[in-house]
Amino acid sequence: ETSDGGQTWEPRSFSNLDAEEEISYRFQVVSFKDGEGWVLGKPTLLLHTKDGGKSWERIPLSPKLPGEPTGILALGPNQAEMITSSGAVYTTENAGRNWKAQVKETIDATLNRISSSGVSGASYFTGSIVNEQRDSDGSYLAVSSRGNFFLTWQPGQEFWIPHNRGTPRRIQNMGFVRGDIKNGVWMTLNGGKLLVSEKADLSSEEFPFNEAAIKTGGYGITDVAWRNDNEVWAVGGSNTMFYSTDNGKNFSFDKSANDIPGNLYNVKFFPEFGNAGWALGSGGLLLKYEGMA
């Protein structure tokens, strides 16, 4: 936890976890809003705090949940949204005592129905889901484990909509342009390719992607983030970093992590905190954005 904008960090522990269980939990997701927070762990564990993290309550989850919980987002007092690896989306308004399903069927059920209905290109829609991304308005992107297709879901829809990737290369990761699906989506492919679609028609099987000019030397790109309308950052294997000043059309190499061994996995900017930026990598590496060189 940091209370000085990330200059220093203090380790936090959870005293209410039963030490006699002899289970080693891995905390994967944390989300706070106005002092109320949620932590999601693996094996399945959900913790909730109302006092800024001073005390935590363990929230029981049904073992009958479709898939494993993979994401949690604090929405307000006693309110949160959770998603599972099967594409099930739930919301709670009473601090996790009850959860309401937002999607009528899981991704598996949708794929089985589409694959057997003679839909054009349905043979591509196989496999399980390994990655889900949420935009600021609650829309989701999900990538298949085999990287051969992706799906989208918006609040109010009864099921996920699958989309062809439109390229023979495997999808590595996907996300939203400036955090909103209305601005488009980005896609990284095997071999260090980056594609951007500024017109995301969610009802269409395929999106019109344009390839960005980025020379990665074959290193894969693991994450991309927009700092503003024009400044974009991409990170990847061997701690490579790239930046764009023209809304993701052309990228240049940045040597900030050049001499540090490992890989970068995530890059994120926080508009609510003065657009502070962070990049997270292997071996506990954490880089803080200090401005353009």
Side-chain angles (χ1 to χ4, degrees), residues 9 80-81 99 105 125 215 221 261 279:
W9 293 81
E81 182 175 292
W99 295 87
E105 61 183 12
F125 302 144
K215 296 178 180 178
I221 301 170

Side-chain angles (χ1 to χ4, degrees), residues 29-132:
V29 182
V30 59
S31 179
F32 270 86
K33 184 171 184 179
D34 300 329
E36 185 167 359
W38 303 79
V39 167
L40 192 61
K42 198 173 184 179
T44 299
L45 174 76
L46 183 61
L47 303 174
H48 178 229
T49 179
K50 292 184 178 180
D51 55 12
K54 294 181 177 65
S55 62
W56 293 84
E57 176 189 15
R58 187 170 181 171
I59 306 296
L61 291 174
S62 170
K64 296 182 180 180
L65 275 178
E68 296 182 348
T70 55
I72 187 81
L73 181 71
L75 296 177
N78 295 321
Q79 300 173 39
E81 182 175 292
M82 179 174 64
I83 185 171
T84 76
S85 57
S86 293
V89 179
Y90 297 94
T91 57
T92 180
E93 295 183 348
N94 57 5
R97 301 295 182 271
N98 304 98
W99 295 87
K100 182 180 180 181
Q102 304 298 305
V103 186
K104 194 171 185 178
E105 61 183 12
T106 63
I107 288 176
D108 286 349
T110 299
L111 298 184
N112 290 334
R113 177 171 54 79
I114 289 179
S115 294
S116 60
S117 66
V119 172
S120 174
S123 60
Y124 293 105
F125 302 144
T126 58
S128 57
I129 300 304
V130 295
N131 185 27
E132 302 91 8

Side-chain angles (χ1 to χ4, degrees), residues 167-281:
T167 172
R169 291 178 182 261
R170 193 169 75 86
I171 302 172
Q172 274 205 304
N173 199 8
M174 292 188 70
F176 302 102
V177 174
R178 299 192 297 282
D180 192 332
I181 201 167
K182 297 183 184 70
N183 299 324
V185 300
W186 56 263
M187 173 193 293
T188 62
L189 307 172
N190 269 9
K193 299 285 187 181
L194 170 60
L195 307 180
V196 180
S197 175
E198 296 182 5
K199 295 181 180 179
D201 181 3
L202 299 188
S203 63
S204 173
E205 262 193 31
E206 295 189 16
F207 286 16
F209 282 101
N210 295 313
E211 184 173 346
I214 183 168
K215 296 178 180 178
T216 67
Y219 289 111
I221 301 170
T222 52
D223 200 13
V224 182
W226 266 251
R227 187 170 183 271
N228 52 44
D229 287 351
N230 295 310
E231 187 181 339
V232 190
W233 286 82
V235 300
S238 196
N239 280 349
T240 50
M241 303 185 77
F242 304 89
Y243 65 92
S244 168
T245 56
D246 60 5
N247 194 28
K249 294 178 177 63
N250 299 278
F251 283 81
S252 301
F253 179 74
D254 180 88
K255 60 182 181 180
S256 296
N258 220 19
D259 299 327
I260 307 173
N263 300 300
L264 288 169
Y265 298 127
N266 301 102
V267 59
K268 187 173 177 65
F269 294 96
F270 296 86
E272 64 270 34
F273 298 111
N275 233 351
W278 304 89
L280 187 64

